[in-house]
Amino acid sequence: MKRENNMLVNAIDREVPSTVNGSKVIPYKGVDKHRPEGFKYAPKVATCIDFPNDGNKLVSGLKEALIKSGLRDGMTISTHHHFRNGDLIANKIFEIASELNVKNLIWFPSASFECHSELIKYMDNGTIHHIEGSLNGALGRYVSYGNMKGMGVLRSHGGRYQAVQDGEVQIDIAVIAAPTADGFGNANGVNGPSACGLLGFALADSQYANKVVVVTDNLVLFPCLPWQIQGNYVDYVVKVDKIGIPENILSGTTAITKSPDRLFLAKLTARFCEHAGIIKDGFSFQAGAGGTSLAVGFYFAEVLKRKGIKARFARGGSNKFLVDMLKDNLLDFILDGQTFDLDGVNSMRHNPNHVDTSPFTSYNYHGKGNFAQLVDVVVLGATEVDVNFNGNVVTHSDGLLLHGLGGWQNCLFSKCTILPIPLFRDRIPVIKDHVTTVCGPGELIDVIITERGIAINPLRKDLIEKTRGSGLPIKSIYELKDEAERICGVPQKPVFGDEVVAIIKWVDGTVIDSVRKVIE
Amino acid sequence: MKRENNMLVNAIDREVPSTVNGSKVIPYKGVDKHRPEGFKYAPKVATCIDFPNDGNKLVSGLKEALIKSGLRDGMTISTHHHFRNGDLIANKIFEIASELNVKNLIWFPSASFECHSELIKYMDNGTIHHIEGSLNGALGRYVSYGNMKGMGVLRSHGGRYQAVQDGEVQIDIAVIAAPTADGFGNANGVNGPSACGLLGFALADSQYANKVVVVTDNLVLFPCLPWQIQGNYVDYVVKVDKIGIPENILSGTTAITKSPDRLFLAKLTARFCEHAGIIKDGFSFQAGAGGTSLAVGFYFAEVLKRKGIKARFARGGSNKFLVDMLKDNLLDFILDGQTFDLDGVNSMRHNPNHVDTSPFTSYNYHGKGNFAQLVDVVVLGATEVDVNFNGNVVTHSDGLLLHGLGGWQNCLFSKCTILPIPLFRDRIPVIKDHVTTVCGPGELIDVIITERGIAINPLRKDLIEKTRGSGLPIKSIYELKDEAERICGVPQKPVFGDEVVAIIKWVDGTVIDSVRKVIE
């Protein structure tokens, strides 16, 4: 398939295609600049006439459910990623589709993981046309080298909700792996042998997909409570032996770092927040899934204990550290979007102050506000930043597309965004003149914290003022960049082809950047 | 205003208008016969650009909120009825609208009560054009005598959700009285000095209204939990002194009967259910808001205790009797649509097995099934039934429109519908050749239980078979009717004018019957 595209230049001077997989797209216009017109996506009106009188929607298996859902060429099939690297269902869907000789499907996961590398064979054999969702590891490499038929579309968690809500993506069949469900389709992630915590990432799918299939390995009598997914949106229920491996939730980026350098970064981040007056009674925070970010929670807790104060809420990804803070009364609430370990799952099951949220409540930019903007400080990772504070989380400096966006873009709307990052990785400086891929505009990124100094975005005069005389190693972003380059030299740029292999959507559905094919 | 209407004849031979308040309507086609075409209503896409960065949506008062919401002539304004006869907000809205000289509003409550009789003056002065919702007591009389400008539209609770979801009613401004809320608009009914239990009747309004105003007398710090109403749907938050009088929730039909005759009916109903094999381990039931219906729960509990078994769930309206059953372990869950007394409110607050539901989960006929159809037996009231088992709940035999539909129509889809009713009221027989107003078709009404005998719908051969030889006083509906008429005589029919003052919608949005003007 040859890709021809008129390239446009967006508001931050990045070239983006005018059409993506055959549909026109809108180039990024700047923060808070694109005003949506029009109406939410309107799914077909259903009727009880089409559903069994006794409410029992069980069918014999996933294959029957997919066939009854009308699986055919070109459809968009969605899954959620609450099992992270322990998902057993997504691959199964495309194995069935391949058996049935269905072609050119679009996979629309809320995120992908290494366990999904198996899907490469279904891209090779034409079952899958392209993926709209994160492209990690092997899948990312596959796409980066130009092997996927269609163009990859990366969205933030909130952007995924927005795209579904606004009808930019129309899901034909949503398959929701549910650790507990009843025959009516009410489902949750908090109970059962495969409990993964919650199912918030599947909320949009349940609300807006044409057909919704719930797959469970723990079928209970009606009513399944809590009904995180409501059966009134569900068409078919399938019982299988095992839907996921909850132990594999704790994968990759969700383990706390053991590196002394990174622990130092985490500690410095906490110190910065303390000096800047951010850590105060009733404050709120979110730490991302990165190893360093996770450790930040640990140090925040130390500060709270020392000061004898508590936080009002933390936004999860929840993990052992947050759960301990809740137990230790350092925190009133965890508002949780996904559990990052089994301590998180268990806490959500038992502690009423550990609350499940969804990308609708937390991140949707096309709602009447969202929770992310209420958070006092968010601590996130990045693969690169540049001297204009733009951030990259999806590509490495070699140009390969190896990570998804997660909730990263959405979190930038918090009151203070901090990126604690090492000054260099594998002797490659992390601060650039220009990031390889812009995932978030610099005006929303407030502080870069490295092991050799802290750069505050000049736009944040308030933070500069508050930390003056604090003894913190405040430097300009240029000083930090020069320091890294003195040690490592200026790295070679990757060699890209012309072909756009993926695009990066901004939270409002516009296109903020393109990812080009990597020439080996 | 002169009303001219082409009258059509629907599938059960009732004359219904072809247009209602200027919009075309579809005549009733029969149970499970009307297949909806088209798509759900699509509200405008919102954007965070239009909402305060700090998430604080507080405005100075209800008047400011209404003005900011663009209140103007002809708009549709919705409210919920969880405060039942203790609501302090609905009247206030129209007082403000009247002050602002806004005309021809449509009030779209989820139900109305005697406390809303004050609104008659706003119908008289042109502030309100008409009411779409239940028309009880004084409001009903007002409409029955032809005084309301527009035509009344009565819908079941599920029909109201359906109408909003399908865009038959487009709410311009939803005003949601919330016993607890935060400044972002998250709200619940379960906490605070005016706690009324839940806010499920306002769910559709929050999801689909153009502007949503939350009015609370208990403003809490974010996050307000549980968020029965999600702030992401809310435009403005208003703090007032008092939103409602929770003691007045227990009003009218929600007190258990003290009449020995009615208690006898309730007991006979329980006996019938026992003999028919309905009361068994794991069964489910719902009793309506009528005094007799409420007492049925009491007798069900006696049977369960004696048999040493328990029910899986009861659908509320919750009251002291249901709450006691839950406490006494005679019941696994209460799935509650509205609390009928303060015991219900308190139980919902503290007992995780007392769960709030909404008309979406419980009653929406244009969903992928609903809970009502899963219920084994439902016990409801009626003002009249006829020899074809058709039921009436809105008009009396004098023709006056004095009651709303509540969830009555929706409940008819349960596995067995029983109406325990006295054979006559004030010497007027309750069983007629034809009911004054058909609210539910006879094929869905299974059993009529009176103090002088039980009539089983001939369609329910299974029930006839199961209760044969039970010693229960089984009679034909004609025998019961004759018996009543022997005692009371055949009552005079009311004198109606031609003018249609209100219509009765069926659960699928079609028109099942008309209510005509009463000539005094």
Side-chain angles (χ1 to χ4, degrees):
Chain A
M1 183 183 168
K2 199 173 156 209
R3 287 190 197 81
E4 284 186 10
N5 245 308
N6 289 322
M7 297 301 284
L8 307 169
V9 174
N10 71 17
I12 49 167
D13 280 334
R14 310 296 288 204
E15 284 195 335
V16 299
S18 60
T19 62
V20 172
N21 297 315
S23 294
K24 241 181 121 168
V25 292
I26 302 170
Y28 174 74
K29 301 176 182 173
V31 174
D32 289 349
K33 288 290 188 295
H34 173 61
R35 185 169 282 283
E37 279 166 21
F39 299 85
K40 293 185 186 179
Y41 178 65
K44 270 190 206 145
V45 172
T47 167
C48 284
I49 302 173
D50 294 332
F51 290 83
N53 275 334
D54 64 357
N56 185 353
K57 303 174 185 173
L58 266 178
V59 295
S60 68
L62 184 53
K63 187 171 176 177
E64 187 189 353
L66 292 170
I67 292 170
K68 278 186 186 273
S69 296
L71 180 67
R72 64 173 182 274
D73 293 1
M75 277 188 161
T76 297
I77 314 292
S78 78
T79 60
H80 71 73
H81 75 282
H82 283 287
F83 282 102
R84 302 179 67 84
N85 204 32
D87 173 33
L88 296 175
I89 297 301
N91 293 349
K92 189 77 194 162
I93 296 167
F94 295 100
E95 185 188 320
I96 292 168
S98 180
E99 274 171 33
L100 293 171
N101 204 29
V102 175
K103 298 291 180 196
N104 290 320
L105 297 173
I106 299 162
W107 182 37
F108 184 58
S110 56
S112 71
F113 289 82
E114 280 298 336
C115 66
H116 299 117
S117 306
E118 201 182 316
L119 294 179
I120 287 174
K121 68 178 179 221
Y122 302 119
M123 290 199 274
D124 283 337
N125 81 1
T127 308
I128 296 176
H129 182 269
H130 72 275
I131 298 171
E132 301 214 10
S134 74
L135 293 159
N136 298 297
L139 288 174
R141 257 184 209 92
Y142 183 87
V143 172
S144 277
Y145 291 125
N147 295 316
M148 187 163 77
K149 264 193 195 167
M151 203 181 284
V153 180
L154 277 76
R155 293 181 177 87
S156 60
H157 293 325
R160 185 179 188 274
Y161 192 97
Q162 170 271 319
V164 175
Q165 172 196 279
D166 296 359
E168 286 168 26
V169 175
Q170 296 180 15
I171 304 171
D172 294 297
I173 306 174
V175 180
I176 302 176
T180 297
D182 60 33
F184 186 71
N186 295 309
N188 70 56
V190 83
N191 294 318
S194 303
C196 62
L198 69 160
L199 297 173
F201 286 119
L203 178 69
D205 312 49
S206 74
Q207 294 171 323
Y208 289 99
N210 189 29
K211 298 287 178 182
V212 177
V213 178
V214 161
V215 184
T216 190
D217 52 14
N218 186 41
L219 192 69
V220 296
L221 273 180
F222 178 91
C224 163
L225 278 163
W227 42 64
Q228 294 170 337
I229 296 295
Q230 297 186 306
N232 305 66
Y233 288 122
V234 174
D235 293 87
Y236 304 108
V237 177
V238 174
K239 167 80 170 69
V240 297
D241 286 341
K242 192 134 190 69
I243 57 166
I245 305 164
E247 293 72 21
N248 288 359
I249 290 174
L250 184 71
S251 62
T253 53
T254 62
I256 199 166
T257 182
K258 287 184 178 123
S259 141
D261 287 357
R262 295 191 174 198
L263 287 172
F264 174 79
L265 279 185
K267 200 162 186 172
L268 191 56
T269 302
R271 273 184 64 205
F272 177 87
C273 290
E274 192 177 354
H275 280 290
I278 291 170
I279 304 182
K280 58 187 177 199
D281 200 43
F283 91 119
S284 54
F285 66 95
Q286 174 163 4
T292 309
S293 303
L294 290 180
V296 169
F298 178 79
Y299 291 112
F300 276 5
E302 283 198 346
V303 179
L304 292 172
K305 272 185 225 166
R306 172 161 42 81
K307 294 192 163 204
I309 57 175
K310 67 196 291 198
R312 178 63 178 169
F313 68 93
R315 291 257 317 124
S318 68
N319 51 49
K320 186 179 182 332
F321 301 97
L322 278 191
V323 168
D324 285 346
M325 287 180 75
L326 190 63
K327 279 191 207 158
D328 295 346
N329 201 29
L330 295 171
L331 192 57
D332 286 334
F333 299 101
I334 300 176
L335 305 185
D336 201 353
Q338 61 180 315
T339 48
F340 280 158
D341 62 21
L342 296 183
D343 291 83
V345 175
N346 194 47
S347 169
M348 187 177 282
R349 188 183 302 133
H350 295 299
N351 193 328
N353 293 335
H354 187 157
V355 186
D356 64 301
T357 65
S358 73
F360 170 68
T361 54
S362 304
Y363 288 151
N364 179 23
Y365 185 77
H366 284 175
K368 296 175 176 178
N370 63 43
F371 294 176
Q373 70 192 71
L374 309 185
V375 177
D376 287 318
V377 60
V378 64
V379 180
L380 302 167
T383 56
E384 298 176 334
V385 292
D386 68 25
V387 292
N388 297 310
F389 286 80
N390 296 309
N392 175 17
V393 284
V394 298
T395 50
H396 282 209
S397 297
D398 57 8
L400 290 172
L401 181 57
L402 297 176
H403 306 282
L405 287 164
W408 190 88
Q409 290 179 334
N410 313 110
C411 288
L412 301 182
F413 288 84
S414 75
K415 297 176 194 164
C416 181
T417 298
I418 301 179
L419 309 185
I421 44 177
L423 201 58
F424 40 85
R425 292 189 181 102
D426 298 332
R427 295 195 64 82
I428 298 170
V430 167
I431 302 175
K432 315 274 174 179
D433 285 322
H434 298 285
V435 288
T436 307
T437 311
V438 179
C439 298
E443 65 192 279
L444 294 179
I445 294 172
D446 302 302
V447 187
I448 311 290
I449 295 186
T450 75
E451 70 279 17
R452 287 165 189 260
I454 298 173
I456 303 175
N457 191 323
L459 292 171
R460 291 303 300 264
K461 296 198 172 60
D462 56 330
L463 294 174
I464 293 168
E465 198 51 49
K466 277 181 184 162
T467 54
R468 201 188 298 282
S470 63
L472 289 166
I474 312 282
K475 298 181 181 172
S476 83
I477 188 107
Y478 293 96
E479 287 175 284
L480 290 176
K481 175 172 169 283
D482 291 347
E483 204 167 329
E485 289 177 359
R486 270 202 303 280
I487 297 165
C488 309
V490 179
Q492 275 204 308
K493 290 199 176 165
V495 183
F496 289 114
D498 279 343
E499 190 180 3
V500 173
V501 294
I503 56 145
I504 313 298
K505 287 263 191 168
W506 180 235
V507 297
D508 58 5
T510 60
V511 183
I512 192 165
D513 210 345
S514 308
V515 179
R516 293 186 191 255
K517 181 174 171 170
V518 171
I519 309 291
E520 277 178 288
Chain B
M1 183 185 170
K2 196 172 155 209
R3 288 192 195 83
E4 283 184 11
N5 244 307
N6 289 323
M7 296 300 284
L8 306 170
V9 175
N10 71 16
I12 49 167
D13 280 334
R14 310 296 288 203
E15 283 195 335
V16 300
S18 60
T19 62
V20 172
N21 297 317
S23 295
K24 241 181 120 167
V25 291
I26 302 170
Y28 174 74
K29 299 177 182 173
V31 175
D32 289 349
K33 289 290 189 292
H34 174 61
R35 184 169 282 284
E37 279 166 21
F39 299 86
K40 293 184 187 179
Y41 178 65
K44 270 189 206 146
V45 172
T47 168
C48 284
I49 300 173
D50 294 332
F51 291 83
N53 275 335
D54 64 357
N56 186 353
K57 303 174 184 173
L58 266 179
V59 296
S60 67
L62 184 54
K63 187 171 176 177
E64 187 189 353
L66 291 171
I67 292 170
K68 278 187 186 272
S69 297
L71 180 66
R72 63 173 182 274
D73 293 0
M75 278 188 160
T76 297
I77 314 292
S78 78
T79 60
H80 70 73
H81 75 281
H82 283 289
F83 282 102
R84 301 179 66 84
N85 204 32
D87 173 33
L88 296 175
I89 296 302
N91 293 347
K92 190 75 194 160
I93 295 167
F94 295 100
E95 186 190 319
I96 292 169
S98 181
E99 274 172 33
L100 294 171
N101 204 29
V102 176
K103 298 291 179 194
N104 289 318
L105 297 173
I106 299 163
W107 182 38
F108 183 58
S110 56
S112 71
F113 289 83
E114 280 296 337
C115 64
H116 299 116
S117 306
E118 202 180 317
L119 294 179
I120 287 175
K121 68 178 180 222
Y122 301 119
M123 290 199 274
D124 284 338
N125 80 0
T127 308
I128 297 175
H129 182 268
H130 72 274
I131 298 170
E132 302 215 11
S134 75
L135 292 160
N136 298 296
L139 288 174
R141 256 183 212 93
Y142 182 87
V143 173
S144 277
Y145 291 124
N147 296 317
M148 187 163 77
K149 265 194 195 165
M151 203 181 286
V153 180
L154 276 77
R155 293 182 178 85
S156 60
H157 293 325
R160 185 179 187 275
Y161 192 97
Q162 172 270 320
V164 176
Q165 171 195 278
D166 296 358
E168 287 169 25
V169 175
Q170 296 180 16
I171 304 170
D172 294 297
I173 306 174
V175 180
I176 301 176
T180 297
D182 61 33
F184 186 70
N186 295 308
N188 69 58
V190 83
N191 295 318
S194 302
C196 61
L198 67 161
L199 297 173
F201 286 119
L203 177 69
D205 312 49
S206 73
Q207 294 172 322
Y208 290 99
N210 189 30
K211 297 289 178 182
V212 177
V213 178
V214 161
V215 184
T216 190
D217 52 14
N218 186 42
L219 192 68
V220 297
L221 273 180
F222 177 92
C224 163
L225 277 164
W227 42 64
Q228 294 169 337
I229 296 295
Q230 297 186 308
N232 305 67
Y233 289 121
V234 174
D235 295 86
Y236 304 108
V237 178
V238 174
K239 168 80 170 69
V240 297
D241 286 341
K242 191 133 191 71
I243 56 166
I245 306 165
E247 292 72 22
N248 289 359
I249 289 175
L250 183 70
S251 62
T253 54
T254 62
I256 199 166
T257 181
K258 287 183 178 126
S259 141
D261 288 357
R262 295 191 173 198
L263 287 172
F264 174 79
L265 280 185
K267 200 162 186 172
L268 192 55
T269 303
R271 272 184 65 205
F272 178 87
C273 291
E274 192 176 355
H275 280 290
I278 291 169
I279 306 182
K280 57 188 179 199
D281 200 44
F283 91 120
S284 54
F285 67 95
Q286 174 163 4
T292 309
S293 304
L294 291 180
V296 169
F298 178 78
Y299 291 112
F300 277 4
E302 283 199 345
V303 179
L304 292 172
K305 270 184 225 164
R306 173 159 41 81
K307 295 193 163 203
I309 56 175
K310 69 197 289 199
R312 177 64 177 168
F313 67 93
R315 291 257 317 120
S318 67
N319 52 50
K320 185 180 183 333
F321 301 97
L322 278 191
V323 167
D324 285 346
M325 286 180 76
L326 191 64
K327 278 191 208 157
D328 295 345
N329 200 30
L330 296 171
L331 193 57
D332 286 334
F333 299 101
I334 299 175
L335 305 186
D336 201 353
Q338 60 180 316
T339 47
F340 280 157
D341 64 20
L342 296 183
D343 292 84
V345 175
N346 194 45
S347 169
M348 186 177 282
R349 188 183 303 132
H350 294 298
N351 192 329
N353 293 335
H354 188 157
V355 187
D356 66 300
T357 66
S358 73
F360 170 66
T361 53
S362 304
Y363 288 152
N364 179 24
Y365 186 77
H366 284 175
K368 296 175 175 177
N370 64 43
F371 294 175
Q373 69 191 73
L374 308 185
V375 177
D376 287 317
V377 60
V378 64
V379 179
L380 302 168
T383 56
E384 298 176 333
V385 293
D386 68 25
V387 292
N388 298 311
F389 286 79
N390 295 309
N392 175 17
V393 285
V394 297
T395 50
H396 281 208
S397 296
D398 57 7
L400 290 172
L401 181 57
L402 296 177
H403 305 282
L405 287 164
W408 190 90
Q409 291 180 333
N410 313 111
C411 288
L412 301 183
F413 287 86
S414 76
K415 296 177 193 162
C416 181
T417 298
I418 300 179
L419 308 185
I421 43 175
L423 200 57
F424 40 84
R425 291 190 181 101
D426 299 329
R427 294 196 65 81
I428 297 170
V430 167
I431 304 175
K432 313 275 174 180
D433 286 322
H434 299 284
V435 288
T436 307
T437 312
V438 179
C439 297
E443 64 193 280
L444 293 178
I445 294 172
D446 301 303
V447 187
I448 311 290
I449 294 186
T450 75
E451 70 281 17
R452 287 166 189 258
I454 298 172
I456 303 176
N457 191 323
L459 292 170
R460 290 303 300 265
K461 294 196 174 60
D462 57 329
L463 294 174
I464 293 169
E465 198 51 48
K466 277 182 184 160
T467 53
R468 201 187 298 281
S470 63
L472 289 166
I474 311 284
K475 298 180 181 172
S476 81
I477 188 106
Y478 293 97
E479 286 176 285
L480 290 177
K481 175 172 169 282
D482 290 347
E483 205 166 327
E485 288 177 359
R486 269 200 306 277
I487 297 165
C488 309
V490 180
Q492 275 202 307
K493 289 195 175 169
V495 183
F496 289 113
D498 279 344
E499 191 180 2
V500 174
V501 294
I503 55 144
I504 313 298
K505 287 264 192 168
W506 180 235
V507 297
D508 57 5
T510 60
V511 182
I512 192 164
D513 211 346
S514 307
V515 179
R516 292 187 191 255
K517 181 174 172 171
V518 171
I519 309 290
E520 277 179 287

